[in-house]
Amino acid sequence: MDKIKIPTTPEIYTRSMTTTKSTPFNRNNSTQERYIKSRKFDNVPGLNLITSFCYDLQSKDLIYRAIKRTDPYMFSNDIENFERPPSLLSSSYRNLPSQCDKILDAPDIVDDYYLNLLSWGDSNILAVALKNALYLWNAQNGSANQFLEYPSEIITSVSWMPGSKFLAIGDSTHAVKIYDIEKSAEVRTLHSHNDRVSSLAWNSYVLSTGSRDSSVIQHDMRIQNYFVKYTGHEQEVCGLRWNPEGTILASGGNDNKICLWELSNTSPIRVLTEHKAAVKALAWCPWKRNILATGGGSADKHLKIWDSENGICLQTVDTGSQVCAIEWNKHEKELLSAHGYAQNQLSLWRFNDMKRIMDFTGHSARVLSLAQNPEGSTVVSAGADETLRFWPVFESSISKSCSTTDSPQRGINLGYQK
C-alpha cells in the first residue's frame, strides 16, 4: 500500500472576503479568512483488509477490568479525569446571532449522511475530513494545515481523544488509525471491521467504533491487538456517543434503532425503536443524568428526548426535515439540531417544552455534521454546500453565567477567546 503523505510544513491558504458580523456581537474580524484548499481525487478504490481475531466477552473480561486499571498501556492517567459540566443556570431571554460568525471553504467534503467528518478537540483544534485528506484548523490563530493525505481511501470518521493528544481516523478500507498529533506519527492501526468505519467515540482510553458491517467494537488502546465485538444492529452504525459518566454507550443505526450498551455486556441493555428512519444524531445531556436526545433521518424528521434508564420517550417533536446532528448547550436548558432539506437550517430548542426558539440559516445544502468548541460557546456546522459555518449560538449563555453573582460557575473563565 502506498505510504500516507504527512506534510512536514503546514500549508495555510487565505482568500480575501468581506466578513459579516452578527448583530448582537461586536467582533474585530480580519478581512482575511482561512480557507482549506481543494484537492480532487476521482478514483477512490476500496481495499479488502483481513480482519484480526476477536475475543468473546466473558465474565470478568479483560477489557472491562482494564479500564479500571490505573496503569494504562499507552496513555497517561490524567485523561481519565473528565471535567464535569458546570451547574445549570435558569434560562431567560438572551441575545442570539442573526447569522454565522465565520465561513470557511470545505471543498470535496463527502455528502454522505452516515459519515462523521468533524471533531473539535480540547486543545481548540478542529479536525475536518475532506474526502481523502485530513485538515486541522487552529481556532486560536485561524491557521489551517493539511495533516495527512491518503493515496486513495476516503476518510469516513474522525474523533479526538480527550486531552487532544491523539486523533482517531476511520476510513473506507475498514481501518482505524490512531495518530499522535504532536509527533505527526501513526501509533496504531486497527483492522477489526470488514466495512467502512463511519462512527467513533472515546471513553478515556477505550475507543468505540461503528461500521457499515453493523457491529460496534471496543478497543482498549493500552492493549495490543485486542477488541470486543458488540452485536445489536442489522445495518450501518452511523452514530456513537458515550454518556458523560462513561457508563453507557448509545449507538444509532440505519436500521432505525438506538442501542444502549454497558462496557461489560456485548448485547444491548436497551433498544429504542420509535424512530422511522436512520438515527445518526445522538447527544447526551451534559447537565441532567440519563437524558439522551436523538434525531431521525428524512423518513422520520423527529427529535426525541429519552430517559435512558427506563427507555421512555419523554418528548418528541416533528422538525419537518432530516435531523443530521445534535449539540446540547452546556450552560442553558437548550439544544441545537442540524437539518437537511428544505431549509438546511440549525434549530435551537428550549428543553423544558421543546419549543423552537430560533432557526439559523445560511447553508445552501444539508448540514452533515456539528461540533462544539471546548468552552461551549460556538458550534461549527459542515454542509454539503462545501462550507464550514461557525455559529456563536451559546456565547451569550456564557456571558450571562459569568456575570451572575450567585452562579455556581462564578470565577470560572468561560469567556469567548478573542
Side-chain angles (χ1 to χ4, degrees), residues 291-310:
I291 298 299
L292 174 68
T294 63
S298 56
D300 179 83
K301 303 181 176 69
H302 280 76
L303 186 61
K304 295 181 182 290
I305 307 295
W306 304 86
D307 183 337
S308 64
E309 193 167 20
N310 53 34

Side-chain angles (χ1 to χ4, degrees), residues 48-351:
N48 293 320
L49 299 182
I50 300 175
T51 59
S52 52
F53 63 92
C54 172
Y55 287 109
D56 291 327
L57 189 67
Q58 299 176 355
S59 61
K60 297 182 180 179
D61 182 73
L62 183 58
I63 195 171
Y64 181 67
R65 288 183 283 119
I67 196 172
K68 306 296 183 181
R69 287 164 42 186
T70 58
D71 53 339
Y73 170 79
M74 190 173 71
F75 304 114
S76 62
N77 288 328
D78 57 351
I79 61 172
E80 299 179 45
N81 301 318
F82 292 99
E83 182 179 350
R84 297 299 300 274
S87 300
L88 175 70
L89 296 177
S90 58
S91 281
S92 61
Y93 175 79
R94 61 188 179 86
N95 290 326
L96 293 169
S98 60
Q99 56 191 335
C100 64
D101 189 56
K102 186 189 300 291
I103 301 174
L104 303 183
D105 272 339
D108 294 332
I109 192 167
V110 180
D111 182 7
D112 190 325
Y113 173 81
Y114 302 98
L115 306 186
N116 292 273
L117 305 177
L118 289 179
S119 183
W120 205 328
D122 296 336
S123 60
N124 214 9
I125 295 177
L126 177 68
V128 186
L130 302 182
K131 203 170 183 178
N132 63 333
L134 192 282
Y135 289 83
L136 301 178
W137 180 77
N138 190 318
Q140 296 290 345
N141 57 31
S143 64
N145 69 280
Q146 180 183 297
F147 177 72
L148 61 79
E149 177 184 329
Y150 288 137
S152 57
E153 54 266 46
I154 289 178
I155 298 173
T156 53
S157 54
V158 294
S159 182
W160 285 103
M161 185 182 187
S164 295
K165 180 175 174 60
F166 298 95
L167 182 69
I169 303 174
D171 62 45
S172 58
T173 69
H174 326 158
V176 178
K177 294 181 172 64
I178 314 297
Y179 287 91
D180 184 321
I181 299 302
E182 295 177 359
K183 298 179 180 178
S184 296
E186 180 183 329
V187 296
R188 185 78 59 84
T189 301
L190 310 173
H191 296 300
S192 51
H193 290 287
N194 55 28
D195 209 327
R196 70 178 186 183
V197 181
S198 45
S199 53
L200 302 166
W202 288 94
N203 181 5
S204 186
Y205 36 77
V206 170
L207 175 63
S208 306
T209 61
S211 170
R212 195 161 55 184
D213 65 11
S214 77
S215 68
V216 175
I217 295 182
Q218 310 286 9
H219 308 263
D220 190 324
M221 292 295 100
R222 302 164 301 177
I223 307 171
Q224 287 278 3
N225 301 321
Y226 180 85
F227 61 87
V228 178
K229 186 175 182 179
Y230 289 13
T231 54
H233 289 281
E234 286 79 43
Q235 295 188 44
E236 183 165 16
V237 180
C238 48
L240 284 177
R241 285 287 184 99
W242 280 98
N243 67 350
E245 297 78 25
T247 56
I248 302 295
L249 173 69
S251 63
N254 195 35
D255 52 7
N256 311 342
K257 295 194 303 186
I258 303 155
C259 294
L260 302 180
W261 314 81
E262 291 178 335
L263 193 62
S264 58
N265 195 337
T266 57
S267 298
I269 59 172
R270 196 172 300 280
V271 179
L272 311 177
T273 59
E274 290 189 19
H275 282 291
K276 307 302 180 185
V279 182
K280 173 191 175 184
L282 301 166
W284 291 93
C285 180
W287 35 259
K288 189 174 179 62
R289 284 176 57 89
N290 303 321
I291 298 299
L292 174 68
T294 63
S298 56
D300 179 83
K301 303 181 176 69
H302 280 76
L303 186 61
K304 295 181 182 290
I305 307 295
W306 304 86
D307 183 337
S308 64
E309 193 167 20
N310 53 34
I312 296 175
C313 183
L314 303 176
Q315 299 188 73
T316 183
V317 58
D318 187 349
T319 68
S321 58
Q322 178 186 56
V323 184
C324 305
I326 300 169
E327 288 289 333
W328 287 90
N329 186 341
K330 301 174 184 178
H331 318 285
E332 298 267 0
K333 290 186 176 180
E334 298 169 350
L335 62 158
L336 186 71
S337 56
H339 299 272
Y341 181 83
Q343 286 189 300
N344 311 308
Q345 85 280 10
L346 276 63
S347 296
L348 185 64
W349 307 85
R350 189 167 59 191
F351 169 70

Side-chain angles (χ1 to χ4, degrees), residues 27 101-102 120 124 137 327 331 336 371-381 389-395 398 416-417:
R27 298 201 187 286
D101 189 56
K102 186 189 300 291
W120 205 328
N124 214 9
W137 180 77
E327 288 289 333
H331 318 285
L336 186 71
Q372 188 172 169
N373 69 345
E375 66 183 0
S377 63
T378 300
V379 174
V380 58
S381 56
R389 295 173 184 261
F390 294 78
W391 312 83
V393 179
F394 303 144
E395 185 177 50
I398 297 176
Y416 187 83
Q417 299 295 321

